[in-house]
Amino acid sequence: MKLLDRWKILIGQSIVLAPMLASPFTEAGQAQLAADDWLPQPNSAPPAFKNTLNASDAVNVYAAHRSHSSHSSHSSHYSSSGGYSAPRYSAPTTSYYSAPAPTTNVYRSSTPSTNTITTPHPSTTRGAMPVSAPVAATPAATDVSMLVRRVQLALMIKKYYSGAIDGVLGNGTRGSIMAFQADSGIANSGRMDTPTLNALGIAIP
Amino acid sequence: MLRRDTQFDVRHVVMPKLLKVVTPEELIEKGITICAGKADFDDLILWMAAANESYHEQLMTLPVGGFLFQEEVTPQSSCGAIILAAPRDPEVVQPGDVIAISPDTNVVRVVYRRKANSNLLFMTDRCNSLCLMCSQPPKDVDDRWHVDENLRLLDLIDPGPEQLGISGGEPTLYRDGLLAIIRHAAVTVPEKALHVLSNGRLLSDSSWIADLKTLGHPNITWGIPLYADNARDHDEVVNAPGAFAETMAGLYNLHRAGQQIEIRMVLSKLTVGRLPEWSHFVFRNLPFTKHVALMGIENTGLAKKNYEALWIDPADYQTQLALAAHFLDIRGLVVSVYNLPLCVLEPTLGRFYRQSISDWKNLFIDTCQACSAKHACAGFFKSHSPRWQSRNIHPLSLQELETLQGAPYEVA
């Protein structure tokens, strides 16, 4: 063959094959275009498809006695990517029910006096109800008064106490506690000690 | 079957509120620890039993959030606390329940029921799909307040192990709210297993993966429906083009994030045709599935309108159901069959059967009175009608129970 013909064949074939060089860029294929840092994208690789036929730790289902629970060979051996840690989302402190009922305002303005409770009440208001109430808002004094109330309630049901359920450890309450302790064979201390609380059926805290 | 709301005579409600119903005895015994999370006495409503009437007056001096009476109560001007009285249906609200009250209505909703076999955190009425058999037809409303209500609810429920559902609508539509609820549950009630029902479509966004990895919840499962092994059939069932691709991408993202996945299938005329192929697809492409749930259809919501497209007598698909269930079971996937009456089930499927219908929405028909398996049967949905009844409904005899394989006492 003459040299010119060889050259024509060579050039012709090159022209035909040239589009093949660009083919990697025409596919939206598995090989992703890497980012500037050339690192693999950790969250976009396909997950492992280990199943009971091809997993290296798969149990031979024909040999083993089938149990009810699934085999742990299904769990992916996919390594977790370190590095990125999402910021912790804390529960919103906005008052819940952020869609206010339209009648609320009417109710408030027309009958303001019924909004307050006449009974002694801890510090929480009837306004916004924060979801994450700080612990400091419930002082220890309130815990004690609640415990006294529970004691007074229990004594009332057992007919030892008939005064007000006011959370105050006064003479009447103390007297009722002592009477209960005497009847129950507990040391007569007049205090809300553990045997007394147990006998009244009050779990602590 | 018990309703979830009823009307009361309501007094002194100034803002929407969740209240925990508590008896004086429980208040004595447990105090505020009756609630699982941060709560105080203002969140309690005291159950005023008629038997205790002699000391009702003293009880009303307690600084609780309100008082609940089963009978009518004469108004007492001295007390400004919330009063609920004279319920139309006195069985609905019981001690231990958490109720939601609002100033604009006298309907009291039970958002958590102590004696229920399933409690639900309802996220939203919105959904991005429109499945033909949707039992909770979506509404286009801004109901973000559900998120706050659920966060508050988690603080007031009973401590102790149980399964809590998270559903809607589509829970992932309120992404930050859903993540906050799961994180709050992990902190407040980690002993409760969470079961999120989602179509998984929005999870195709891979930015979810990092958020899900940091959830830190010890026991959460994602229940994702897949209705076919191909896009055309699945998209037809969910009435949303592109849904199949998005759901598959979402499933893989969930797996990348290390989440437990349950695949759900609703058995209807549109889905049973390729049920064996579907089971093959699930095994090959989603082998990390922890649980497969094959469910009978509920005649409610949009399913009623689409009766012609959906209805097939369960007796006519037992063969495909058995093929699919046994195919997956022998390959190591856990399979359950839900929402079918026990008498129409193929006997070999007995051990996959679960009593799955929530006790607030199930019922039995006259034929069931003579059945010896009523204690183990899921029954029918409250929405049941003769149109949706299999021709094979019959009372099971003890002999038939013996041939039904599997333990009849397993519960969903």
Side-chain angles (χ1 to χ4, degrees):
Chain A
M1 206 182 237
K2 292 167 75 166
L3 187 61
L4 188 58
D5 289 328
R6 284 185 196 274
W7 275 106
K8 281 185 194 168
I9 289 167
L10 182 64
I11 291 170
Q13 285 180 342
S14 301
I15 292 170
V16 166
L17 287 174
M20 292 293 294
L21 299 172
S23 62
F25 298 102
T26 63
E27 296 168 2
Q30 294 291 329
Q32 301 113 26
L33 294 173
D36 291 342
D37 54 7
W38 293 97
L39 291 174
Q41 308 277 25
N43 285 336
S44 56
F49 285 102
K50 304 269 185 293
N51 58 33
T52 51
L53 297 184
N54 61 16
S56 55
D57 56 346
V59 173
N60 181 345
V61 295
Y62 298 106
H65 180 69
R66 291 271 354 283
S67 67
H68 189 68
S69 58
S70 66
H71 298 291
S72 58
S73 59
H74 290 300
S75 60
S76 166
H77 302 286
Y78 192 74
S79 62
S80 63
S81 63
Y84 181 77
S85 57
R88 280 239 166 250
Y89 187 100
S90 53
T93 52
T94 55
S95 63
Y96 85 99
Y97 279 113
S98 35
T103 54
T104 309
N105 295 329
V106 174
Y107 202 96
R108 271 214 180 94
S109 58
S110 60
T111 52
S113 57
T114 56
N115 283 3
T116 58
I117 292 184
T118 53
T119 56
H121 199 78
S123 55
T124 51
T125 64
R126 283 223 171 260
M129 282 284 289
V131 170
S132 53
V135 176
T138 319
T142 321
D143 288 340
V144 168
S145 90
M146 280 312 164
L147 187 60
V148 171
R149 271 184 237 262
R150 286 161 71 187
V151 169
Q152 288 170 328
L153 206 51
L155 290 170
M156 181 180 75
I157 289 178
K158 291 186 194 292
K159 306 272 195 289
Y160 283 92
Y161 182 71
S162 54
I165 311 286
D166 54 8
V168 174
L169 198 50
N171 287 334
T173 311
R174 223 185 289 273
S176 305
I177 293 176
M178 284 202 270
F180 172 76
Q181 286 168 331
D183 286 348
S184 313
I186 305 172
N188 210 359
S189 64
R191 287 198 286 268
M192 302 184 299
D193 46 28
T194 308
T196 311
L197 290 174
N198 284 346
L200 286 170
I202 295 174
I204 318 151
Chain B
M1 187 229 66
L2 198 53
R3 306 170 47 132
R4 298 227 289 180
D5 55 45
T6 186
Q7 290 182 338
F8 274 81
D9 289 340
V10 176
R11 258 167 265 165
H12 309 140
V13 172
V14 297
M15 56 182 258
K17 206 168 154 120
L18 291 186
L19 291 168
K20 173 88 169 171
V21 181
V22 59
T23 60
E25 290 76 26
E26 273 189 301
L27 183 59
I28 292 170
E29 189 193 335
K30 297 196 192 133
I32 204 60
T33 64
I34 195 177
C35 298
K38 278 201 185 76
D40 53 32
F41 278 69
D42 195 43
D43 302 310
L44 304 179
I45 182 165
L46 202 58
W47 177 269
M48 309 291 269
N52 297 342
E53 204 166 329
S54 53
Y55 42 86
H56 274 188
E57 213 176 297
Q58 280 163 299
L59 286 177
M60 289 188 70
T61 63
L62 281 169
V64 289
F67 304 93
L68 192 151
F69 299 87
Q70 292 289 81
E71 36 329 284
E72 289 195 15
V73 156
T74 51
Q76 292 174 297
S77 53
S78 57
C79 180
I82 293 168
I83 308 278
L84 296 182
R88 307 293 175 266
D89 184 347
E91 294 301 315
V92 172
V93 177
Q94 292 298 310
D97 294 350
V98 178
I99 55 176
I101 53 177
S102 182
D104 55 348
T105 176
N106 63 353
V107 173
V108 169
R109 292 182 289 128
V110 177
V111 287
Y112 173 86
R113 181 167 271 152
R114 173 176 283 172
K115 295 209 185 76
N117 64 4
S118 70
N119 275 301
L120 180 70
L121 301 176
F122 188 81
M123 290 290 298
T124 176
D125 269 309
R126 295 167 54 211
C127 188
N128 50 355
S129 292
L130 196 60
C131 303
L132 296 178
M133 65 285 178
C134 181
S135 56
Q136 189 93 25
K139 303 177 201 166
D140 191 14
V141 290
D142 185 350
D143 52 0
R144 238 168 308 199
W145 58 265
H146 282 293
V147 172
D148 287 322
E149 181 178 274
N150 289 332
L151 284 169
R152 191 74 199 113
L153 178 60
L154 284 171
D155 285 330
L156 298 182
I157 59 183
D158 290 340
E162 78 181 294
Q163 184 173 73
L164 287 181
I166 299 180
S167 179
E170 174 49 50
T172 54
L173 283 171
Y174 294 138
R175 172 174 172 162
D176 294 330
L178 176 63
L179 295 170
I181 284 170
I182 297 174
R183 291 202 176 102
H184 190 58
V187 165
T188 310
V189 283
E191 72 278 8
K192 295 192 195 282
L194 294 185
H195 189 230
V196 185
L197 296 181
S198 165
N199 57 35
R201 290 174 59 194
L202 290 174
L203 300 171
S204 56
D205 173 3
S206 53
S207 67
W208 273 88
I209 299 177
D211 288 335
L212 292 171
K213 276 185 177 164
T214 57
L215 274 181
H217 196 283
N219 193 350
I220 175 172
T221 306
W222 296 76
I224 314 266
L226 198 70
Y227 297 120
D229 62 331
N230 63 85
R232 191 198 67 177
D233 292 342
H234 177 95
D235 291 355
E236 183 189 350
V237 173
V238 308
N239 220 348
F244 182 79
E246 289 168 15
T247 297
M248 288 302 299
L251 282 164
Y252 288 141
N253 282 344
L254 275 176
H255 180 53
R256 288 182 182 113
Q259 300 295 307
Q260 295 188 90
I261 294 168
E262 167 189 273
I263 297 291
R264 294 163 78 85
M265 157 62 81
V266 174
L267 300 162
S268 72
K269 193 156 74 176
L270 294 173
T271 52
V272 297
R274 288 183 67 83
L275 201 64
E277 285 85 353
W278 169 88
S279 66
H280 206 129
F281 180 89
V282 168
F283 171 65
R284 282 295 185 185
N285 296 285
L286 304 163
F288 40 78
T289 303
K290 287 286 182 284
H291 184 221
V292 174
L294 302 156
M295 312 194 291
I297 192 167
E298 185 176 356
N299 161 34
T300 189
L302 299 180
K304 287 196 259 211
K305 278 192 340 184
N306 296 311
Y307 174 83
E308 290 307 325
L310 294 169
W311 168 249
I312 175 172
D313 191 324
D316 294 329
Y317 62 63
Q318 291 302 309
T319 316
Q320 286 99 314
L321 182 61
L323 281 172
H326 289 302
F327 179 96
L328 293 169
D329 176 58
I330 195 66
R331 284 158 183 78
L333 272 74
V334 181
V335 176
S336 295
V337 172
Y338 292 161
N339 301 349
L340 286 177
L342 196 48
C343 49
V344 308
L345 196 70
E346 223 225 48
T348 61
L349 297 175
R351 72 191 160 85
F352 307 126
Y353 185 81
R354 311 278 176 253
Q355 262 183 310
S356 54
I357 303 183
S358 311
D359 50 16
W360 58 272
K361 58 176 177 175
N362 82 337
L363 58 83
F364 289 91
I365 60 177
D366 290 337
T367 324
C368 305
Q369 302 313 319
C371 181
S372 42
K374 215 167 137 192
H375 60 280
C377 180
F380 297 91
F381 284 102
K382 149 189 105 137
S383 49
H384 178 71
S385 72
R387 235 177 27 151
W388 294 80
Q389 188 166 310
S390 169
R391 61 182 186 274
N392 271 5
I393 302 290
H394 64 284
L396 287 175
S397 65
L398 283 173
Q399 283 82 7
E400 281 173 294
L401 262 191
E402 280 165 23
T403 57
L404 197 66
Q405 299 172 13
Y409 287 96
E410 278 166 295
V411 183

